């Protein structure tokens, strides 16, 4: 199941720039940040219950 989020135009532009500059996809960059402990995650069941 796919999910989506809305980003401000400024954040979207920055993400596009960084993805193009590094030759990586946007999702891959985010995943790498999460693995390094620089991002946060939410359990799917908490998300769908609206507990976030």
């Amino acid at each position: 199941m796919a999910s989506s989020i809305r980003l401000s135009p400024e954040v979207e532009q920055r993400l596009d720039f960084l993805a193009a500059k590094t030759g990586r996809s946007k999702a891959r960059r985010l995943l790498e940040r999460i693995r390094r402990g620089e991002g946060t995650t939410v359990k799917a069941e908490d998300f769908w219950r609206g507990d976030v």
Side-chain angles (χ1 to χ4, degrees):
M1 176 185 306
S3 298
S4 64
I5 60 169
R6 289 193 186 270
L7 301 174
S8 69
E10 295 83 14
V11 171
E12 179 71 16
Q13 183 178 19
R14 178 75 175 151
L15 191 55
D16 286 339
F17 171 79
L18 291 171
K21 184 174 182 176
T22 61
R24 298 179 178 164
S25 71
K26 297 176 197 177
R28 186 175 192 181
R29 184 163 180 81
L30 175 59
L31 181 57
E32 288 173 359
R33 287 186 59 216
I34 290 170
R35 286 181 175 157
R36 287 192 310 259
E38 299 171 1
T40 59
T41 60
V42 176
K43 291 181 180 179
E45 58 268 17
D46 293 341
F47 175 82
W48 292 115
R49 266 197 316 261
D51 294 343
V52 292

